[in-house]
Amino acid sequence: MPTRGERKTAHVYGTIALHDASFTYQFVDVFNGKTFLGFLQALLRRYRRKVFLIIDNGPCHNLGAEGRAWLASHAHRIELHR
């Protein structure tokens, strides 16, 4: 297949809910703690059940002070597991 040799990148956060196999995703311009926090907030708006999110050690999963405070105040609704 002929190509132009250009590199195309899409930054997408995504989750699959085990209880109904639904897929939630969000395109972002860059991966960082701020966009990750926005994705976490979107998950809580979508799901009423508690969210258990399995993440890797990617640098985009490191939340800043504001993100850590938000996560601590919503610990009854969401847990991150590395």
Side-chain angles (χ1 to χ4, degrees):
M1 170 182 276
T3 65
R4 298 189 309 180
E6 294 177 23
R7 184 180 173 130
K8 299 284 184 175
T9 302
H11 297 98
V12 184
Y13 291 109
T15 61
I16 298 173
L18 296 179
H19 70 279
D20 65 357
S22 63
F23 182 60
T24 302
Y25 62 92
Q26 182 177 24
F27 287 93
V28 294
D29 292 332
V30 296
F31 277 142
N32 59 31
K34 190 173 187 174
T35 58
F36 183 55
L37 176 58
F39 180 67
L40 298 178
Q41 293 167 338
L43 286 178
L44 292 195
R45 286 191 297 272
R46 176 172 169 110
Y47 297 110
R48 298 294 170 223
R49 295 177 176 199
K50 185 168 184 174
V51 174
F52 297 89
L53 189 62
I54 300 169
I55 59 174
D56 62 13
N57 265 342
C60 66
H61 296 137
N62 295 326
L63 296 169
E66 174 188 352
R68 290 190 302 272
W70 180 89
L71 192 60
S73 68
H74 290 83
H76 63 289
R77 299 243 5 250
I78 188 167
E79 286 183 24
L80 302 183
H81 298 272
R82 294 189 186 268

